[in-house]
Amino acid sequence: KLVKKMLKDKLVHFFSTDTHSIANLRYTNISKIESEIEKLVGKEEKNKLLVCNPKKVLLNEDIE
């Protein structure tokens, strides 16, 4: 419930896992999680959380 509220209130900037290899995948339901995120915040915001903002962190850029 807390994560859903934080998503709706735009308090989450990105998601991550500690999965380092597809061969050793601990999270087998990532696509389900992505779908749930999209239902809560929409496709554009989901893309920011899963792709754009993590990339900005790696490039040492500011996150909006």
Side-chain angles (χ1 to χ4, degrees):
K1 288 182 182 180
L2 177 61
V3 172
K4 287 180 180 181
K5 180 167 176 30
M6 291 175 68
L7 280 166
K8 289 177 182 178
D9 292 343
K10 298 197 179 228
L11 298 174
V12 177
H13 300 290
F14 57 90
F15 280 84
S16 65
T17 71
D18 62 349
T19 300
H20 300 278
S21 167
I22 292 176
N24 190 17
L25 190 59
R26 290 172 51 184
Y27 301 99
T28 57
N29 59 349
I30 289 178
S31 61
K32 181 181 176 191
I33 294 167
E34 286 186 39
S35 177
E36 290 297 317
I37 293 168
E38 188 171 324
K39 286 179 191 175
L40 289 167
V41 298
K43 190 172 186 173
E44 186 176 326
E45 186 69 18
K46 179 196 81 167
N47 190 50
K48 279 175 51 177
L49 296 172
L50 299 177
V51 179
C52 298
N53 288 348
K55 182 178 178 181
K56 286 181 178 188
V57 169
L58 293 172
L59 297 173
N60 200 31
E61 296 177 356
D62 290 336
I63 296 174
E64 300 172 8

